[in-house]
Structures are given as C-alpha cells and as structure tokens.
Amino acid sequence: MLHREAYHKLRKDKIVVVCFAVIVVCAVLAVIAPLVGNPSQDYRGIDEVTKIERPYHPPTLLIALSGTANGEPLTDEQKKAFGEGLLSAAAWRLPLGADLDGRNVLVMVIHGLQKAFLIGVITTVLAILIAVPIGAAAGYFGGLIDDAIVWFYTTLASVPHLLLLIAVLQSVPGEWKAKLGLFIVLIVIGVTTWVGLARLIRAEFLKHKQRDYVLAARALGVGHGRIIFAHILPNVSHLVIITFTLGFVSSVNLEVFLSFVSIGIPPSEPTWGQMIAKGKDELSRDPSIWWPLTSATVFLFVLSLAFSIFGDALRDALDPKLRT
Amino acid sequence: MALVACMLDSCRRTSPVIVALLFVTLFTSVSCQPPLEVDGDVSVIRRATSTDPKTIDPHEAGDVLSSTMCGLAYDQLLEYVYFSQDAELKPCLAAKMPEVSPDALDYIFTIRDDIYFQDDECFPGGKGRKLVVQDIEYSFKRFATLVDSPGYWVLQGKIKDLDGWRSRVLALSSESDNSPETEKRRNEVFEQKVSGISILDDHRIRFTLTEPYPQFLYAITLSYGAIVPREAAQYYGDKFSENPVGTGPYKLREWRHDKHLIWDKNPTYREEYYPIVPEKLHLPAGMPTRESFLPYQGKRLPLSDRVVVQVLKEAQVSWFQFQSGHIDTSLLDKDTFTTAVQNQTKLTSGMAGKGIRLTYYPSPTISYLSFNMDDPVVGTPAGVKGAAIRKALSLSFDQADYIKRYLQGQGEPATMLIPPGVFGYNDSYQYRWARYAPEEGIRLLKDAGFIVEQKGGTVVTKDPKTGEQLQLLVVQAGQSTASADYARYLNFSGARIGIRVDSEQVTYSEYLKRQQNGIGQAYDSGWIMDYPDPQNMMQLLYGPNAKTINSSSYNSSRYNQLYEAMSSIDHTSPATSAADIQRKKDLVVEMHRVLDDDCPWLIQYFDKTYVLTHAWQNTTLPNHFAYNIYKYRYSDPRLRIDLAGDWNKADALPGILFACLVVTVIVMFVARIVRQE
Amino acid sequence: MWTFITRRLLYMIPILFGVLLLTYVIFFTVNDPQSVARTKLGGVKASEAQVTEWLVVNGYAEYGPSGKKKKELAISGHGEPDEIMVKLTDIEMHSDVVLFWNYVKGLFTFNFGKDNEGREVSEILKEGVIPSLRLVLPGFIIAQLAAIFFALFAALYRNTKIDRTLLIASVLMMSISPVAIILFLQKFLANEWHYFPVCGYDDDLLNGIRFLALPTLIYVVVSLGSEIRFNRIVILDEIGQDYVRTARAKGVSQNSMLFKHVFRNSLIPFITHWVVALPFLYLGSLLLERFFAIPGLGDLTIRAVGNSDVNVIRALVFIGTVLYMFGTLMGDVLYALADPRIKLR
C-alpha cells in the first residue's frame, strides 16, 4: 500500500534510488547464486597463471598491484606468466581470491548474500505473520483478549532479547536442528522478535476501531474478520512495510553475531557470519588472509547501508511521526 | 551553544598542524600500551589458557587443564620419570616403589618422612604439618566419596571393600536428608575401615585389590591419586576446589576467575633437584636436543619463582600476546600455524629471528569414527552388507589428505589404535582398512550385493531392496569449524564410493545420550589416553563396556578374551618376564587382527602437538601423562627484557597519518559550517 | 502517583510469573537432568549408580521404595555392594510442579544454586558485574553525550548538507559489523601499532583505565551511529511541535530556542530511553569482553550457553528481567514527573 505521494517523494531522492537499485541488484544476485558456482569447490593446487603452488589464493587484483603472492615476491618468470595471463579468464576466476580451504571467496560471498536474504525475509515475514494477527486481535477486541495478549508479549519482552534467543536456541531438540539446520535459527529469531510490531499494530487498531469508517462498517453488520483484515489492516500496512525493511538488517546482523559466538548456525552453511567467524582466525596469520573476512564485511556493510537508508526514507515518506 | 561556537572557532583558528601534533602526542607519548612487565630477578613462567580451569580439586580434575593446575600444588605417591621415554614411574611421596605381593593383589607403600604440606591458614598456626600415612588413607577415601568426581571409574571394582563402603557413605549424603543425625552417621561410616586400604604402621599403607589390576600404579598417578590434608578439605569445604593445599612445588596466591591464576614457589617444598640427563637421551626430530637440558642439571626444583596463567579466550588474542612477549609459550593451533612454521618442521624466518623455538611431538590421542554395531544398516544386524559399508567407508577416507588439508599437517595417519610412543605400538602392523583405496571399497560394496552405478565421475551406491542410495548419518558433538570441516570431508569421502554421508551436530549432553541409547549410525569420537597402557585404548571396544565408553557397542567374544588376557599382564612390573611382555605386545596385535575382520572403527589420525617457546624459557620434555612438569620449567627474566623489551614500542607513523586524516575531516567540516553560516 | 506505582508493581507479578514459567519450560523440560548429570560426571565414563546418586544428591529426584530399601541396607552397614548399588529404576524423578516450585523459591531467595563447576552462581555474578559495568557504563555515557551533541548539531543545521552528512555518517557507522570493528581496531591499534594493550583488566580503577580505553572506544564507535540517528529524530520531532513554531514566530533566536526549549523537552524521551537501556548494561558486552579478556558477565553468558549451564543462564535471565521491569517502571514515573500533560492512572 505505497501511497503515490510517498512514491514520488522517494523517487526524487537520488541516494534513495541508488540504495533501492543496490537492493534490487543484491536480490537478483541472491536468486541466481546457484548459477554463479558451487561454494565448496576446491581451487587449491598449482595456479595456472602464476605457476605457484598455493594453499590459498589472494585476489587477482592484489597480485597484480603488489607483485607478491602469499607474502613472497613473484619471480620474473612468474611475473611474466602472470602479465601474459592477466587478460585470460583463468586469471579472473578468483577475483576476490580463495580462502584457506581453497574456496572461491566471490562465490561464497554471493551464496552468503542468498542466505542473508533468506535470513532477512524469513525472519521478518515470520515475525509479521505472528505480530499482525496478535496485535490486531488485542487492539480490536480489547477486554480479556487484550489483557492476555499484552501479558504474553510483555513477558516475552521482559526477558533480554539476546538471552531469550540463545536460551530458546539451546533448548531446540537436536533432531530438529539436524533436519532444519539454518532454518531453525531463522524460526527462533522470527518468533522472538515480533513484539515491537505487535505493540505498534495494537496501538493503531485501538485508534482505528473508534474511527467512523469502522463504526459504520459495524453498523452495517460486517463481520469482525472482514473489518480487521479488509478495513483496518490496509490503513496500518505502512507499519508492516517499515518493520520489514528495518527488521531485515537487524536479522542479518544477528546472524553474524550468532555465528560468531557459534550458537545455532551450522558451520557448514555458507553465511556471512560463518565467513567472518572463520576469517577471524585467518586474520592472525602472517601473511594474513584478510580477503574472506573483508569481502564478507564489505558486502554486509553495503547491504545493511542500502537497507537502512532506504528504510529510513521509506519511514519518513510513509509515516513521518513514527520513530523506531 | 557558546561552548560549541567557541570550539568551532578555535578549531578554525588553530593551525591544523598544531592539532595534528596534539594527536601525535596523544597517540605516542601517552600511549596506553604498558611496557613489558619487569620482574627484576624473579623468574616468572607465563602461559595462557583458553578457558578458566574447572577446578583445582585434584580429586575432581578430569580435564587436562585442571589436572595441570593440580599438578602445581599436589603430588601423588608416584610420579613419571622426567627423562624416560617408556613412561617409567618413580617414587614421589612414597619413599620407594611399592612392594607387590606375588599374587599382585597387595601393594604396600612406604611414605617419605620429610614431606610437609604447604603453609596455609587451615593448619594450626598457619604452618603446614608433616605428611602422615593417614593422609594417604584419607585422600583415597575422599576421592572415592566425591559425588561430583568424574574419576571414580579408575578405582571402581578394583579395591577390596571400597565400592560397598562408598555406596554406604553416598547413601547417607542425600541432599533431601541432611539432618545432624545423618551427618553424624555419615561421618561414622566414613571413619569405618575399608579393608582394601589399611594402615600398617606409621609409614606403611597397604592397598588390597579385588583382582590383579596392572594399571593400578598408573591409575593412582593420575590427578585423582593426589594426597590432600584433611584439615584443608574440611576447613574450606565447598571452596576447597579454589584453595589448593598440597605438597607440591607451587602455592596458589590468587585465582581471579576468568582472568588469571598466580602461583608462588612453595618455600617449604622438599629438597629436590633437576635430574641428571641420561647419556643416551635420543629424542626424535622436533623434540629438543640433549644439550638443551644440561644447564639445569642438579639445580634445586622448582626452577622458577612464579607461574602466571592468563585466561585468554580468543586464540587470536593469545597469539598477539605471545608475539609481544607477554606469554612464554604458545600451543600452535592450525590457524596460527602457517605464520610460524614452514614445511611442518621449520620456523619461519621472522619467528626464528626473535629467538623462538619450535618443538613438536606426537600426543597419545586418536580420532576415529565409531560405527554403531547395533545399527540395522551399518552394524552387525546387516551382516556382510554392514561390514562392507564400514570397510568401504574406511577405505574411502584419505587420512594423509585430511591431515594436510584440515590439520595443516598436525597429525600422523593412524595405523593402529595404539599411538606411537605408547607400549604396544607396533610399526610393522597396519590396520587393514586404514588406507586410501576407494576402488577396493567399491568392489567390496559390489561383492556384498549393493548396486554401484558409476557415471562419469559420480558414483551412486544403491540398496538392491529399496533401490535408494545408501545413506549414513554421523553424530557429532558440538559445533565448531573443525567439526564442520570434518563433516564436509566425510561427505566428500563417502561420495567417492557412492554413499551419502551426512552429519548431525548435537550438544555434548545430547551426544552422550545418543551413545548411551545407541541412537545414531556412527559417532565422531576421539580418545586421549589416561595412562600409557594399551588397555586404556583397547577397553574402548571391550564388549562389557558397550554403551558406556564402547560407543560402537562392539562385542566380539574373541576380542573380549584377548582383551582380558592382555590387560592382566603388567608390563611395567619388574616381576613380569620378558616373554610375558612380548606376549602382551603380541596380544595387542592379535586384537587388531580381530578388528581387521570387523572394522568397527574408521581410524583417522594421532594428534601431533606443536609448541612455540620464547628464547628465555627453557625447553621441557613433553610427557602427556605427567602433570607436574612445571617444576622443571625456567624462565630467564633478564634475557626476556633484553629480547622483548622493545617489542611493544608504539609505532608513531600510523598515528600521525591517522591524526592528519582526522584533522582534515574536521577542517573540511568546519569550513563547510563556516560557509553555511 | 503512589496508586500508580502500586498498580504497576502489582502488574509486575503476573509478568514475573510468566517469565519464570517461560524460563522453566525452556531450561528444565528440555535439558533433562540425566544428561546434565552425565555431562558433569565425565561423559561416557560415568556409571549408572553415579548418575543416580547425583540426581538424588542434587535434588532432582528421591529414592523410591526399592531405593529406600537399598539405602537402609547401606546405612545398616550390611549388604553386598551389588545389593546396595542404586540404579536409575530405584528413584522417582520429582514432578514438574515440585521442581517449578523449588525453582521459584530458589530464585526469590536469591539462591541461584551452583554452576557446573560447583561455584555459587550469586558469587560468580557478583564478581563479574563490576568489570562489565566498568566497561559498559563509561562507554554508554560517552556515547550518549556524543550522540546528543551530534544530534543537536544535526538539528541546528537540519535539512542542510551538514545534517545530511551527519545522518549518512551515522548510518555508515551503524552498518559496519561490530565484529569487524573489534577485529581491525584490536589488530592495528593494539597489536601492530601498540597504542593500547592488546587485552587485560585491572581491579584497580586507575590502573585499569588503560586496559579499558580501547574497548570503551570501540563500544562508543559501535553504538554511536544508531544513537545519533535516534536522538536526531527525537529532537526534530520536538522542533516540529506547535510551541516551537510559536516561539520562532515570536522571534526567539534559533540557538536559544534549540537549547532552552527543544533540548529540555527532548530530555523526556532521552531519559526514558536511558532508563530502559540501563538494565541491559549489566550483561556487559558479549564480544568485547571476550576479545579483551575482561572477566565480566557478557562472556560468562556465552560460556554458560556453551556448557548448557542452566543455573547461570536462568539467574542471568531472572535478574535481567527484574531489572528491565523496574527500568520500565522508573521510565514511566520519570516520564510523568517530567511531563505534566501525562496523567498516571
């Protein structure tokens, strides 16, 4: 339910347009990730271009600029071979280098992007699916239902969120974890983050149910379900959109944190969190292998930035009074 | 607002150069980096651990770190000979080796007369008293009745009357009933004589066993055999695990949980000297040379005045601290490995230039995948088919490649269950399935009646009954990058012979539950040997141990017989004939031949430990079973300051550059504001 | 006013009950005591009798008829070891109601039990909370002051390029992963250039400053972005109010208006924001404590989770919840005190 006015407002702002473009490009990349390559393919061995054996591989551009690989300067022969091969496709097979397992960092990052979208979308959608009916029921019906719901979500909100998340993750049975892998984490994030939105929705419903149009609909004998979903909900849908964009970023960042403290996320998943957690150890090597960590961080940065700016602008355009 | 305006104004007026200088001074002269701690002439050993020790109660110490910490404060009746390569024992608190009766059931220990406990407030007047033979009895009784101790298995069923007495004491220690009477009754029962542990006179104590237990001396040399004074255990009660009072070389001064432990030299430590280095000390590559031990011969132990143990949870941080000389030694994990070591054996030039030494040695630890022999697909119920799957999978696993890829070479392919350096290791034996031959594996599968489809590089093995691909689910404990690497590699190995191997990572407690109840097809396992007797390893496949330590529930009557015969031979006792010792070795090999037929395990590798040491600390001989080797360590405080004194000097250049950057940003910003106004 | 506080306090009871129920369900029904016992007793090496004894001694179960008989036999001093060796079938696990009641009783008497290593949880918490607060509290205060400064600045130049730059800068700061900030700043500022110690903590406050400097700096950098953004919105909101427009129409100068009126009125949301955020600070910073070897509660949390240390986690959750509820109550009261338009009911 994007209002036309808001749409025009957004379109005028160049930065917002750029951010939106970034999001779209990222979404496309996420969808086509399986076509880009297999993240677990192993590229270790002799490099065709430089003819050096490597346990890992620095980004091609880095070799070109620094003239060194793995901390050792290239010999003249290698330089020559590299110079000649620079224009070949083989030289750019690992544009962002390979990590210690010989995995192509670019492919990993793009698969990580796919996971990031899965994480962002599934958690927020789940949270919205829980929050909207609950918030709507509480606000619309009031009375005992309202009390019970408010009690329930206040209880949830009273437990520090991270602790709640960790505790629930810890208590998920092992079989589920094995079967569902990453998804169990997404579900847990989803079911622990819906309270904020439910509160907003409830407050809006409280306001709207006294409005004339609702009273009129009721007088005409329209059913409760119809009033909630067909009449009031469209008027508060902007909340849902805003929550989506802002919740997306926080979920993606939460995954990074959880991976980092190794809670919940199976280490085999090619997520950015896992790349950063693993990259941390590789950083202390000498010469340090900083490209997997840096690539994941930069991509995470760009995606968060785009979503945050876009989300802010969207909020300002849709509901200037709202603050989160 | 006046303040803001004033600030902006001053920024604008002051020449950026001055601001830059300000930043430089801030970053360099007032640098927060503390210089290296100067110890004067006090010799301090500094090491780091990644976790806080669980306990310093020797009777509860089940892990390596806790045992090592206990080794600083406590002694056992016996200890490992420092310069021995066959894990010989020598008397420690005992005056001589025990007298053993011909039936190998009675062990009579005579205790030394010159041992004093550390001075502590639990003793009258704060002065540590002399060790008496009653302390030995008390310590073993205490160990036996600790409900939280993970170690009772070493004595269970072994000492006459001990189990029954223990059950009586524990029956009276329920929390639901802690009335004074029960308490009194408990103390009475505790004081009752245990016929297996009897005091003969002021210096002698006799242990009577229920059956010959050749590993007995090793068992009581574990941390659990530590001798503690009754006064301390009673005075500190629950807090005894934080207030060690023993006879050992170091006394705990401070334990700040999750931060550090500081140990001071025990001033009343008995007169003990660094042993004479044997003439024929030949150490394999990676170990220190004989010469490096010579300077310490005959010096009074402990060599150092203080031991500081820092808790550093991030591996990266302890690596930083090692590089800057804040800690003396660093266990190389695979992640810092390539920084320091080239070709698995040589230090990189940067490290060698700092005077750092590298030692590496095998450790008696094996990693393996144990198949659940009760499973209908891979176990005994599946007969030939199950065996074929186990063997084929074992053949598809390339040990050498795995070690090279994921352990950075920090491992030795396992050829049998017994690690090198431990009695029973036989380099002419090779476990039949511990080699890389996937084609043979495929053949085995075909022979067993599976349908193997090979299409251009990919192999799919199907069950003829269901027509579906064979699948195997491995249970792993804990989530870590290492276990993920392993899972990936197993999957990759399975693919070579067309079996889909997945793994499931569960919490440690869940993992234990699975093993207990036999849920799961295979378990990712490992074993650190407790003492250097092959029995300790071979018990992992002994039938009656099924569902406890025998995670694969393997039960072969032939193996069980051989095991019983093997474990009853004491190869360390001088009374044992050479023929019997040889027989024990042969029995170990024979047991392996039984395993060759059944393949209950996929054995992978023995660990190899890599240690980096700074030049100021002496080299210690590794012994995985001994926990009291800190007394042989020495750290030279002067050399440390000479070498590492300026490893921590602040580097001015990046600070200046950063300052310039900040100043530029501020100036640009101010300029913009000025334009705005 | 007092009726309001009483009402709110009464209202806290069902919430607290809910939280207790929630944590009970999460920690007790899922982590069954048997596996806790096994983990504790050395894993595969633990015998059945040991596990049984442990369950009884730790109050998870009591002996049934057969167990009692064995026990009596044991106390009498007769009986063969085999006869008195207890088995899991000899005990009766306590029902959920009994365990829940014990659990609630324990929490309210601040008897949190012992952790997996046998240390009193309340002692561990006492030891850990000071380092945590020393790290987080100065960081929080500095970040808030800086955020208000920048937010006022942005509001002063609102809708100009300065405002825009500040806003984008703060979103930029928000978007960098905190993990990356810690890793890079620690590696370069501490390990490579030696401006700060790599890690450490000192109980002595003055001596400890140099160890806390870098983690505090990182804390500020990590939290500054979102705080600036939040504060800016609050201030702009206030500027949009009618009274500001009136004041400006009357010719009150921009600066004095901003500082005299707007800032003072924005204090209300700021204070509520602080009061609600403060209780969470006791947990310290999970990552910073780990990387800088600060013996605080944040790292304890991670470790407790890793070890499934039920007693520690539930103590942390319980204290966190109670603090949070008092925080919100305080926030509401302060809100009412600061803004006479709000009526407490």
Side-chain angles (χ1 to χ4, degrees), chain A residues 56-57 118 124 126 138 191 213 268 277 294 297:
Chain A
Y56 47 84
H57 195 284
L118 271 182
T124 39
L126 198 62
V191 295
Y213 74 99
S268 48
T294 314
T297 314

Side-chain angles (χ1 to χ4, degrees), chain C residues 3-210:
Chain C
T3 40
F4 168 76
I5 292 177
T6 327
R7 268 179 61 99
R8 284 296 305 261
L9 281 173
L10 285 176
Y11 185 62
M12 274 163 65
I13 294 170
I15 306 262
L16 203 56
F17 177 77
V19 170
L20 289 175
L21 202 64
L22 189 75
T23 45
Y24 176 79
V25 169
I26 291 173
F27 294 123
F28 266 83
T29 48
V30 181
N31 278 316
D32 83 300
Q34 261 193 51
S35 41
V36 174
R38 277 194 204 284
T39 318
K40 172 81 187 116
L41 294 171
V44 285
K45 291 171 181 168
S47 72
E48 188 181 342
Q50 261 177 297
V51 174
T52 314
E53 281 155 6
W54 192 91
L55 288 173
V56 175
V57 171
N58 286 279
Y60 286 107
E62 61 188 350
Y63 287 117
S66 62
K68 280 203 180 106
K69 215 178 274 168
K70 283 185 181 176
K71 219 179 113 186
E72 274 162 27
L73 202 61
I75 292 174
S76 71
H78 309 290
E80 288 302 302
D82 279 352
E83 287 177 287
I84 55 174
M85 184 80 80
V86 283
K87 291 205 175 78
L88 283 174
T89 46
D90 292 332
I91 52 171
E92 283 162 8
M93 298 302 287
H94 286 306
S95 73
D96 275 340
V97 178
V98 175
L99 286 178
F100 181 63
W101 174 240
N102 287 343
Y103 168 73
V104 173
K105 218 165 49 181
L107 287 181
F108 276 98
T109 48
F110 289 95
N111 173 15
F112 299 121
K114 288 177 181 172
D115 76 343
N116 280 355
E117 271 89 61
R119 291 176 63 209
E120 287 290 338
V121 173
S122 47
E123 210 170 278
I124 300 177
L125 297 185
K126 245 183 273 165
E127 218 173 75
V129 74
I130 292 169
S132 276
L133 288 182
R134 271 200 200 157
L135 164 66
V136 174
L137 216 51
F140 182 75
I141 293 169
I142 295 171
Q144 291 302 330
L145 290 180
I148 291 180
F149 173 80
F150 283 115
L152 279 174
F153 208 80
L156 186 63
Y157 295 101
R158 64 186 172 279
N159 300 330
T160 67
K161 275 195 175 155
I162 293 168
D163 177 26
R164 188 96 189 167
T165 321
L166 267 172
L167 191 63
I168 288 182
S170 60
V171 179
L172 279 173
M173 274 164 87
M174 271 170 64
S175 303
I176 308 175
S177 163
V179 175
I181 295 181
I182 298 177
L183 283 172
F184 282 104
L185 289 190
Q186 189 184 34
K187 183 172 167 69
F188 290 106
L189 289 186
N191 186 50
E192 304 267 308
W193 302 334
H194 304 292
Y195 296 140
F196 298 96
V198 169
C199 63
Y201 176 79
D202 198 321
D203 287 313
D204 183 67
L205 193 59
L206 270 179
N207 247 336
I209 287 178
R210 66 166 184 225

Side-chain angles (χ1 to χ4, degrees), chain A residues 32 88 99 134 169 175 180 200 233 297 305 309:
Chain A
I32 63 161
S88 70
D99 76 347
I134 288 186
L169 269 179
E175 303 96 73
L180 295 170
L200 288 176
L233 202 56
T297 314
L305 190 66
I309 294 179

